[in-house]
Each structure stands twice: as structure tokens, then as C-alpha cells.
Amino acid sequence: MQPEELLAYIKNILLVLAKQNNIDLKNNKKLAVEKPKLEIYGDWSTNVALIYAKQFNVSAKNLADIFVKKMLDNEKIEKIDVAGPGFLNIILKRQARSSVVENILREKQNFGKSQFLKNENINLEFVSANPTGPIHIGGTRWAAVGDSLGNLLLSQGAKVIKEYYFNDHGAQIDNFVNSIIAKYYGTALQEDGYDGEYIKDLADKLMPELENRSKNEIYEQLKTKAVKLMFSQIKQSLQTFGTNFDIFFHENSLYKTGQVVKAVNELTARGFVYQKDSALWLKTSEFGDDKDRVLQKSTGEWTYFAADVAYYKNKRDRGFKTCVYMLGIDHHGYIKRLQAVAQAYGDTKENIKFLIGQFVNIIKDKKIIKLSKRAGNIITLDDLIKVVGVDAARYSLIRSSVNTPIDLDLDLITLHTNENPVYYVQYAYARCCNVMKNAYMLDKALSEKVLTKKADLSVLQKTVEKDLLTTLALYPAMLEASARSYEIHKVARYLEDLARKYHTFYSSLRILPNTKSEIQVEHIARLALNNATAQILKNALSLLGVSAPERM
RNA sequence: GCGCCCGUGGCUCAAUGGAUAGAGCGUUUGACUACGGAUCAAAAGGUUGGGGGUUCGAAUCCCUUCGGGCGCGCCA
């Protein structure tokens, strides 16, 4: 019996009790079935009595006792204790506890998938770095987190599009091109120009064949070629990193197709646009922004914000119910104004969602390195992959909440790559695979017994076995919670927990017998548990875009 | 000045308002002539920045204060 089944059962009892007592039950989201911290508390615990005691107008302990009486009828439950202020600690019957292994082995890669987000149509926009330089470490965090989050939401039934907004319109492109020219001729860089090795590379690569052309021609040719080259480099880096976008959306297309004008016109019709100082403004302050924002400058040029407005409208017109923006902490000021845009179009705050990622600090010689494109000391995605590899890089960036700044110590990560927890998890998987292989070599029939579900799993009674079983049973609920809160790091943390439980199990018990003649029911059951663990490790790693090697 | 985010063992990070705040690294001590030692077992290490409040119960919510980061353009 898995926790979600138990939870449904408890809710059912709750409804019956409420009806009997004529209580108009208020739904409480805090109701939960959890794995207790300590093993002696049982397999699962619930807080149902604690949070509903008030509504029933009895003490939590009394309500708990009522639940105990009802629940003991359930044939899957062995025992229930009331503990502490009113927790129900539930111990399952043997078969009920081990049934999760059968479920996993039956559903394989589909175990953990759900449809609870089936009505969601989500646009995930992330990275969206300007094509004026390689992807830096901040963008890298989103490349890992956004991609994995997309996988997760997809697995829970949502329709998901991963999208990259390509800023190919505006002054930064001019700066970029001028920087390359300046670099080539050794002239002074403009004030906010770009510098760095990659600018020199671009100059060396593109300039020689253009040298004899007119100034204007050099500029135009360079603009096309440099942006194209940079963009294909970015795409290549992302691909190497295992991040594949469904759509690369060009900012320029919003202008070419007149969508900016159209989007602003609609807002004008809705009465949220006004003219002041010969510029066009949007009344974002009406929806909680600090001040109104300019859409069109007095020069007649559109602002970057105007494109953002059109882009949001475009996303909604394409049918996305939820538009997710993943931004760096330095862009948190956008939240209010974009929320205002959504509301100005008559949408709600539900339609627009923000994930704000803290900085990734690069530590060298115990000090934070200040990175900037201008100074040319950026650490790129390619650098990171070269130093630590895709798996370790992705995992390091995923395993922390985006709300937490990450300090990546280059010295440490280079010297002790094996200490990245990703290897701990991968090693657990490799161990599982090795056991499977050995089992097959030992006795083909043994593997087949597991495969054909002839294993008696109820013999899994040791503490380390039960611990592993409940952790496996938690997998679907963990995925759902992770998807609900858009917190992919929960999946990584779960993996570490699962790997730990497996390593403990592995080293305290024999899974396979020494010789063929000694094969017993325990061995068959443990092999099934081993195989189920392998399946979950693989499923979860694949969500994170991290490989599951059969040997290391 | 105003606003947003973050303060958790020496370090890097966890913890839907739940039970004794958990892992990894580092430190110390143990464990293979049996499934791979990239592992396991164990020890030391905490007033969750400080102070109030809310309640059965707070690292978590509210107020306040102190640190750190970031943002406050007719830039993109």
C-alpha cells in the first residue's frame, strides 16, 4: 500500500465521520501521510486527527482513537498507535508493504507518472541569453533546472513547451558588432562594449574576408554572421549539456509581424495606455507596480518592455495557460510589471509564474570571482562541462533550491569530482545492475522468478529492507509534490536518500547467495527489491537529464 | 531612501507548520580471502543571526532588529 492510497482511505473515513456528526468539513491542504522520521513510529504516519480535531470539537487524541477503531478494519493494516499530540502511526501488513515492488516492476519506466496536471498547458521560458556571448554560469543554472523541470511537469501529465527567447533586436546587438570591429582594429571599445577572448576569436574568424568592404557593408555582414555564429555556438553548448528546446523564439519576429503594435493597441483599447512627455506609457502601477512603464519612447522607438508585452500576448494566444519565466535575481524587478501586463490583458496572476534563481558564485582561492561579460572573465557553460562533465555539472546545479545561492568552488570541484553526490547515486545504480547481472549468471531461473512475479515479497522484514520499501513507495508522492511547487531539487534529494538506503541494504545483507544450491525465498525477494530500486533510480535520473551508467 | 531575496554544525546544502533540525565534505575510529571499498558502521560538531508574537507545536507564519546580496532608466 502506497501513501497516496492510504491518504485516500483516510479522507474517505473523514467524510463518513463528518456526515455522521453533521459537520460541514472544510478541506485542509495540510492533511498528509508521511514517512515518520523514526522507524519505531511505524511505516506511515498521518496528522489527520491533529488538524481536524477543532472542527469535530474534540481533542486530537479522542479523534485519533476514533480513527484507530475505523482503520483497524482495513485488511492491509496491521497496527495503529496514537503518539505524541495525536499522530497516527500506522504499521502495514507484510504484503501491503512490499506490493510497491510489484507495482514498480510491472509499470517500469511509467512508475511515478501521473495525470494530475493533465489540464495544464505550460510554457517554460528559460536561459534566453543574449546572442552577444557564450552562455555564462547563471544561464547554466537555468539550463539544468528548466530542462529537468520540464521533464518533471511532462511526467505529471502537463503539456509543456521549453522555449528560448532570442534577443536579436536592439542596441546590444550593435554594441556586440562594434566591439568585434574595435577589437580587430585595436581601437577603443565603446563604453558598454563587450570584451573577452571570444570577441577576439570572432574578429579573427570573420573580419579578414570583410576587410576590403565599405564600413557599412562590414557592419551589416558582420551583424548577420556574428550573431548567427554565436547563436549556433549557444545551441551547440546547450545540446551538449543535454538541454533541448522545443522553440527558439526570435524577438525580431514580434516586430516583423506587427505583433508589438497589435499588442499595444489592445492594451490601449482596454484603457491602460496613455501619452505623457510624447512617450507612450502602460499603467502598470494600477496593478501593483512601483511606477508606470514606457512602451514607446519619445523618439518613436519601442522599448524592450514593449516586446515583452507582445511576447506575453503571443504566448497566451498560442494557448498556454501558464507562462513560466525563469529569471535571475538581478531581474526580480520584472515580476511586478509582467504581472501587471497579464492583468491588463484580463488574465490573473495564475497565468504567469516566476522562478527567481539566486546567483551561482564561482569560488577560486576561497574568494568569489566577480564575473562580467565586459571584463571578459566569464565562466562559460562549455568551461564547466570541460572541467566537471555534464552529469556532475547538471547535478550540482539542480540539487539546491533555486532560492539558495550556490557557491561552486572550482578548486574543490576539480580536485574531488568523485565527491559530487551524483556519483553516489550513479554508483548505487551501477551496483544494482551488477547484482542483476550476477543473478543472471548464477541462475537464469532466479531472474525469471522475479520477472514473472513468483517471488514472495512478504519475507522482506528486516529493518533495512522495510526502510528501502517505504522510500520506494514515496516516489510518486515525491514527484507530485515536486511538480506542484516547481522544485526540481526535491527529486535530487530523494535520489540521494534512496541511494543511501540502497547502499545500507546492500552492505548489511546478501542479496544473492554464494552458491546456487543455497537459493532461498529471501534471495529472490531481495533481488526483486534490487531491481525495483534500479528502476526508480533510472526513472528519476532520467528526469534530471543525468545518465544512469550500468558500470562506472 | 524604497522594494525583493538570503542568514541552519568548520564548509556546501536539506527539512508540505509536526515527533530527538538531517545529509555530504572535512575531522576521528572501525569494516571485505562472500554480490564492485566511488561503499558501509560509528564518534565529535547546532541557542536554525538576535528579540518579541501567533498555536497543541515555529528553522518555516507575523512584527522588529542586525548582517549579506540584488533591484529601483524614455537601457536591453
Side-chain angles (χ1 to χ4, degrees):
Chain A
M1 178 137 84
Q2 289 171 222
E4 45 271 35
E5 185 185 342
L6 201 50
L7 182 61
Y9 174 65
I10 289 166
K11 277 184 182 166
N12 204 25
I13 293 178
L14 195 60
L15 287 176
V16 172
L17 283 177
K19 206 169 180 187
Q20 284 173 357
N21 293 282
N22 281 323
I23 293 169
D24 184 22
L25 212 57
K26 284 180 201 127
N27 196 30
N28 193 326
K29 281 180 187 166
K30 291 175 188 165
L31 177 62
V33 170
E34 298 170 303
K35 188 180 171 198
K37 217 172 256 181
L38 301 177
E39 194 222 344
I40 52 163
Y41 290 145
D43 296 309
W44 303 104
S45 76
T46 177
N47 55 359
V48 65
L50 285 165
I51 59 178
Y52 283 102
K54 258 187 193 162
Q55 288 192 47
F56 280 87
N57 203 21
V58 292
S59 76
K61 290 230 181 201
N62 285 344
L63 186 57
D65 287 334
I66 295 170
F67 266 89
V68 171
K69 270 183 202 150
K70 289 256 177 196
M71 290 173 71
L72 281 175
D73 292 343
N74 191 309
E75 56 180 15
K76 292 181 179 176
I77 292 172
E78 176 78 32
K79 194 177 163 218
I80 306 175
D81 290 322
V82 179
F87 286 105
L88 292 179
N89 291 330
I90 300 157
I91 296 173
L92 297 179
K93 291 220 166 114
R94 295 172 171 204
Q95 283 85 352
R97 189 185 299 125
S98 57
S99 62
V100 63
V101 169
E102 291 160 27
N103 296 341
I104 294 168
L105 295 179
R106 189 180 57 245
E107 295 175 33
K108 299 196 175 70
Q109 70 275 11
N110 291 324
F111 187 84
K113 286 188 182 168
S114 121
Q115 286 296 316
F116 91 91
L117 290 178
K118 65 169 186 258
N119 295 323
E120 276 292 341
N121 191 357
I122 304 171
N123 180 286
L124 290 183
E125 186 214 319
F126 56 105
V127 184
S128 299
N130 288 345
T132 53
I135 296 191
H136 56 87
I137 197 75
T140 301
R141 183 173 200 168
W142 285 128
V145 171
D147 185 60
S148 309
L149 186 59
N151 296 343
L152 173 67
L153 295 170
L154 210 56
S155 81
Q156 301 303 299
K159 286 192 193 110
V160 178
I161 289 292
K162 300 174 189 169
E163 191 155 317
Y164 187 116
Y165 185 57
F166 181 43
N167 302 115
D168 52 358
H169 182 96
Q172 87 276 8
I173 299 287
D174 297 334
N175 288 345
F176 175 56
V177 176
N178 287 329
S179 300
I180 296 172
I181 296 172
K183 194 82 185 173
Y184 188 72
Y185 292 113
T187 53
L189 210 60
Q190 66 188 82
E191 199 185 328
D192 49 359
Y194 296 94
D195 202 353
E197 202 56 35
Y198 75 98
I199 293 288
K200 191 173 181 308
D201 290 346
L202 284 169
D204 292 343
K205 197 164 184 177
L206 300 172
M207 284 300 288
E209 56 174 305
L210 297 173
E211 215 165 0
N212 298 326
R213 315 280 182 89
S214 73
K215 217 171 177 179
N216 198 36
E217 211 176 334
I218 291 178
Y219 184 87
E220 286 305 321
Q221 285 277 324
L222 198 57
K223 186 170 168 176
T224 312
K225 288 185 174 167
V227 169
K228 203 174 160 191
L229 201 62
M230 205 66 249
F231 194 37
S232 71
Q233 268 182 39
I234 289 173
K235 277 186 179 169
Q236 182 59 52
S237 301
L238 288 167
Q239 213 171 348
T240 307
F241 197 53
T243 300
N244 294 300
F245 286 91
D246 300 303
I247 291 176
F248 286 90
F249 191 96
H250 290 249
E251 181 187 5
N252 228 344
S253 71
L254 292 169
Y255 290 96
K256 282 184 182 161
T257 56
Q259 289 181 66
V260 174
V261 176
K262 216 175 132 196
V264 171
N265 283 347
E266 184 173 340
L267 290 176
T268 308
R270 285 175 169 273
F272 296 115
V273 178
Y274 65 94
Q275 198 147 27
K276 193 183 89 180
D277 304 331
S278 60
L280 223 50
W281 299 71
L282 182 65
K283 288 186 194 168
T284 53
S285 64
E286 228 169 81
F287 302 101
D289 196 7
D290 302 333
K291 48 172 284 195
D292 292 341
R293 306 287 167 180
V294 173
L295 289 164
Q296 191 174 33
K297 301 185 231 175
S298 52
T299 58
E301 285 175 289
W302 293 105
T303 59
Y304 182 85
F305 179 57
D308 272 342
V309 169
Y311 187 32
Y312 173 76
K313 183 73 174 78
N314 175 286
K315 284 177 183 170
R316 292 284 288 145
D317 285 348
R318 276 187 280 153
F320 294 109
K321 190 172 154 196
T322 309
C323 301
V324 181
Y325 291 76
M326 304 187 201
L327 306 172
I329 182 71
D330 52 334
H331 285 70
H332 74 256
Y334 290 28
I335 296 179
K336 280 185 180 169
R337 79 185 67 163
L338 282 171
Q339 279 175 339
V341 170
Q343 289 172 84
Y345 278 118
D347 291 344
T348 65
K349 284 186 180 176
E350 307 283 300
N351 295 111
I352 191 161
K353 193 170 170 66
F354 296 90
L355 297 182
I356 300 301
Q358 296 288 325
F359 282 135
V360 179
N361 294 316
I362 298 293
I363 311 284
K364 181 94 182 154
D365 300 329
K366 305 280 170 205
K367 273 190 265 179
I368 293 176
I369 309 176
K370 284 282 172 195
L371 305 166
S372 83
K373 261 189 207 177
R374 210 174 302 165
N377 66 345
I378 43 177
I379 306 268
T380 66
L381 174 51
D382 293 338
D383 294 338
L384 193 67
I385 293 174
K386 207 185 283 172
V387 175
V388 295
V390 172
D391 284 345
R394 277 187 83 109
Y395 196 85
S396 299
L397 294 165
I398 285 172
R399 74 186 289 270
S400 295
S401 155
V402 294
N403 287 327
T404 311
I406 305 180
D407 285 356
L408 283 185
D409 190 323
L410 277 190
D411 302 318
L412 217 66
I413 212 166
T414 331
L415 288 173
H416 307 284
T417 51
N418 283 5
E419 277 150 23
N420 189 313
V422 73
Y423 297 107
Y424 184 82
V425 175
Q426 287 182 322
Y427 184 57
Y429 181 72
R431 267 187 156 173
C432 289
C433 291
N434 211 42
V435 170
M436 281 189 236
K437 202 177 78 191
N438 291 341
Y440 188 80
M441 309 258 275
L442 183 72
D443 183 354
K444 248 176 143 173
L446 184 63
S447 301
E448 272 160 20
K449 266 186 195 159
V450 170
L451 291 172
T452 53
K453 306 175 196 92
K454 284 188 183 146
D456 175 13
L457 298 171
S458 66
V459 297
L460 298 170
Q461 285 297 306
K462 297 262 178 18
T463 298
V464 288
E465 293 167 333
K466 288 196 285 188
D467 222 13
L468 189 50
L469 283 170
T470 43
T471 304
L472 289 173
L474 219 47
Y475 182 65
M478 180 281 298
L479 286 185
E480 182 175 329
S482 182
R484 262 187 214 290
S485 58
Y486 284 61
E487 290 176 313
I488 191 70
H489 73 277
K490 285 182 193 289
V491 177
R493 298 295 172 155
Y494 170 84
L495 269 170
E496 289 168 36
D497 187 40
L498 181 59
R500 189 173 308 114
K501 300 279 160 55
Y502 178 76
H503 284 310
T504 299
F505 160 72
Y506 177 95
S507 50
S508 67
L509 293 170
R510 285 290 307 186
I511 298 173
L512 302 173
N514 288 325
T515 63
K516 194 171 170 178
S517 59
E518 292 172 13
I519 295 176
Q520 292 165 358
V521 282
E522 285 83 2
H523 298 124
I524 301 169
R526 284 176 199 154
L527 182 59
L529 184 54
N530 174 83
N531 294 4
T533 305
Q535 186 68 58
I536 299 304
L537 288 170
K538 192 176 178 179
N539 291 1
L541 281 171
S542 112
L543 288 178
L544 302 186
V546 173
S547 70
E550 291 180 12
R551 46 191 313 176
M552 296 172 69

